[in-house]
Amino acid sequence: MNELDVVGVRVEMPSNQPIVLLREVGGDRYLPIWIGPGEATAIAFAQQGMTPARPLTHDLFKDVLEAVGQTLTEVRITDLRDGVFYAELVFASGVEVSARPSDAIALALRTGTPIYGSDGVLDDAGIAIPDEQEDEVEKFREFLDQISPEDFGTSSQ
């Protein structure tokens, strides 16, 4: 397993499909995962430190975990089958729960939980971006700084 950082969320053109971009810590691979608009909003809210007037599902899940005394210790992106990514939530009690990567990432950002990607997933879907292409990644980061969750066209009710 390789630790991953969340670079951010953007809308892929021309399909108008949101993606979350993860970066391998200590490596040069990036992992793009196509996600839904609701999850894109949830991830963007968490990254920007925004608190909606009413809790989103991932905020509620975080609050429930705290209320029942459970600690999320890591999120693992474990597999890629037929174009679909799979993830697991790993709890301090040893319990592992299957989850969509987008939901797992949104929860990890709210709880400060590390995210890991399997070697197989990074080998199959990771994109190596050498240092000379870092300018493009920097432009992407600048784009992320200027985008808001409302740009994804969903409401947070």
Side-chain angles (χ1 to χ4, degrees), residues 15-95:
S15 67
N16 209 28
Q17 179 72 33
I19 64 168
V20 61
L21 184 64
L22 304 165
R23 179 183 56 84
E24 183 180 26
V25 174
D28 65 350
R29 292 183 291 184
Y30 288 77
L31 183 64
I33 300 177
W34 278 257
I35 60 176
E39 292 78 16
T41 299
I43 291 169
F45 269 25
Q47 276 203 300
Q48 295 176 8
M50 295 178 69
T51 305
R54 300 192 56 185
L56 297 175
T57 303
H58 305 94
D59 300 307
L60 174 63
F61 191 19
K62 173 187 170 274
D63 292 345
V64 169
L65 288 175
E66 290 173 359
V68 298
Q70 287 293 316
T71 302
L72 181 64
T73 57
E74 62 185 59
V75 163
R76 298 178 187 155
I77 301 172
T78 57
D79 203 3
L80 173 61
R81 287 178 277 164
D82 299 320
V84 177
F85 288 90
Y86 294 83
E88 293 175 347
L89 304 175
V90 181
F91 296 92
S93 64
V95 172

Side-chain angles (χ1 to χ4, degrees), residues 91-108:
F91 296 92
S93 64
V95 172
E96 297 179 7
V97 177
S98 179
R100 296 184 306 177
S102 55
D103 290 327
I105 291 165
L107 186 58

